[in-house]
Amino acid sequence: MKDEEEEVTLIQAHLPCDRCGSHDALALYDDGHTHCFSCGHTDQTGTESTEQKEQHTCTYTRDAIVNRHFAPLNKRRITEATCRKYGYQIGICKGEPVQIAPYHDSTGTETGCKIRGKDKEFKTLGKIPCRFFGQHLFSGGRKLVITEGEIDCLSVSQAQGNLYPVVSLPQGAQSAKKTVKENLNWLMNFDEIILMFDMDEPGRRASEECAPLLPPNKVKIAALPMKDPNECLVAGDTKSIIAAVWNAAPYRPDGILSPSDEKQKLLADDDGADAPPYPYPWDIELNGMTGGGIRKGELLLMTAGTGIGKSTAAREIAYSLHMKHGCKIGMLMLEESPKKTIRDLLSIHMEKPLHLTWNKDRKTKAVDKAFDTVFGDKGFLLYDHFGSLGEDRLLGAIRYMIVGEQCDFVILDHISIAVSALESGGGGTDERKTIDILMTKLRSMVEETGAGIIVISHLRKPDTKSGNPFEQGGKISLDDLRGSGSLKQLPDTIIALERNQQAEGEGERNLLSIRLLKCRFTGQTGRAGSLKWNSKKNRIEEACEEASLTLDGVQGHRDNSPTADDAF
């Protein structure tokens, strides 16, 4: 299209487009260029020179129309009185009957007109100013209705007894934004401005473009039961037109809601806001401090030093959610193969370290039975990350698990690997920014789908002079999360695991302290219980009270290597 500031006039509309095949989406302008409102292509090859343009314009004059007079538009059910109010006439142009819509400048002088022939063939005579059709009739008032076309303008005016201000756009929806901008001072003379554009995509888009240009307390959007006001008038439904004017909704940008708008959703029986949480697998303080456990519709982040047991704890949670509560679980375990994930879940079920006896046990009936018990109902989905791990592919896999396969919870272990893969794949080298983007999209997905997402995260490299490293039981805080501040800002709940891998006794080395760093649901934080690793059963279990006291004495801070193996 031409630059908005350049004056161009529509010569003919609803022409066929050779490029996309549309039969009526092409428009021809007085400088010779064409634009298709279906495929969006603009062709400047026919643009005329100034001399050609003047010669072309002079071809049509007011005298080219003969026998101009007022008459009712019977097919449109518009009366002669309505036509007289707006100066809308019929006449003969080049031997063909036409309808004539006059346009006036700021002084009220008619400077040009649009003529409408059969089959919606449009031409222009003279100059069509960047003003609304009918604008010269009104100087201000309480309500102003703006429609797309002249016929719709006449329809709305007639439905209201031709008593109230109604105008229309000079060149349809595509001229809406420019026309509103050019006439803002005049529009400010009305208390309310009601946009009643066509109930189709171009009309909706025009409303979205125009509404922000006007004061929020002035502009409203009307909704009709049919495509446009004249369809309602022809159907004899003038009540819908009047109702659309008086019930027009105040414009509100996308994403801004009033509580009254959400009342029905809030009170709906199946809203899920009060659905009971799923307890964590262990009967420790964590369940009470989080208000009962883990919830759908929340983003949970788990963190710990390298090798402390993040992935092992995540698998325990996944197993419990499915086997005890019937949840469907999606697992994106980026540090291990799907084969390892399957074997480790079987180990939890059979309570034995199958990775140590796999060659002996893998063909036994016990393993076969365990497999059918754990995976036979297709309650788990795994992600094979072999090959490219781009952002779209990763997020697409998570979305598919939730939307396509109806997973209740998805586990991403861990975000540091995902970010590293995105950066190496051409996504840039700003780790913080990449984490921000990924966490924001995960947060949005939780809100959109209502599923729960569990994200595993590493800790940053600390200053070891300030206390014990994380691998030696160092206390973890929110500031220890590696990467972006979004890791501590966006999750609903953040849980840290602390363990002293270098303790003298095996019993102490296998003790984990659970620390609740954040919980939006209850607001509680602090020590949330103790767990122990049972190597014989290959399980994380509840620790006895005496073991918990041992962990209470472990203090200090920091060290970890985010590239080391995270297996317990």
Side-chain angles (χ1 to χ4, degrees), residues 186-216:
W186 177 75
L187 291 169
M188 291 303 102
N189 294 321
F190 296 89
D191 297 334
E192 292 183 10
I193 299 165
I194 300 169
L195 305 180
M196 192 182 287
F197 299 153
D198 288 1
M199 301 292 105
D200 55 15
E201 178 58 26
R204 184 194 63 78
R205 189 165 55 247
S207 294
E208 291 178 352
E209 291 177 350
C210 293
L213 302 175
L214 300 162

Side-chain angles (χ1 to χ4, degrees), residues 153-331:
C153 172
L154 301 178
S155 301
V156 177
S157 179
Q158 182 170 299
Q160 301 180 100
N162 295 320
L163 297 175
Y164 305 105
V166 185
V167 296
S168 66
L169 302 169
Q171 305 295 353
Q174 67 269 21
S175 66
K177 183 177 180 180
K178 181 179 179 181
T179 308
V180 169
K181 287 175 66 175
E182 290 288 331
N183 297 279
L184 278 175
N185 288 338
W186 177 75
L187 291 169
M188 291 303 102
N189 294 321
F190 296 89
D191 297 334
E192 292 183 10
I193 299 165
I194 300 169
L195 305 180
M196 192 182 287
F197 299 153
D198 288 1
M199 301 292 105
D200 55 15
E201 178 58 26
R204 184 194 63 78
R205 189 165 55 247
S207 294
E208 291 178 352
E209 291 177 350
C210 293
L213 302 175
L214 300 162
N217 59 336
K218 281 184 177 289
V219 65
K220 294 183 176 181
I221 309 295
L224 293 166
M226 299 182 183
K227 178 178 178 293
D228 56 46
N230 187 247
E231 280 197 9
C232 294
L233 184 66
V234 171
D237 191 9
T238 56
K239 290 183 179 179
S240 289
I241 300 175
I242 297 172
V245 173
W246 290 97
N247 296 330
Y251 167 72
R252 189 181 298 140
D254 289 344
I256 298 178
L257 301 173
S258 166
S260 59
D261 298 334
E262 298 295 289
K263 180 179 179 180
Q264 295 304 317
K265 294 180 183 179
L266 178 67
L267 301 181
D269 292 337
D270 60 351
D271 180 76
D274 297 323
Y278 301 99
Y280 289 99
W282 316 282
D283 186 18
I284 55 177
E285 293 93 324
L286 180 63
N287 283 315
M289 293 176 68
T290 55
I294 186 172
R295 294 171 180 79
K296 293 177 63 175
E298 291 188 350
L299 181 61
L300 166 66
L301 186 139
M302 293 179 60
T303 189
T306 300
I308 299 302
K310 300 185 293 296
S311 298
T312 305
R315 284 189 290 268
E316 286 275 2
I317 292 173
Y319 177 83
S320 174
L321 285 171
H322 175 59
M323 299 301 292
K324 292 183 179 180
H325 307 293
C327 297
K328 190 169 184 177
I329 312 297
M331 302 183 71

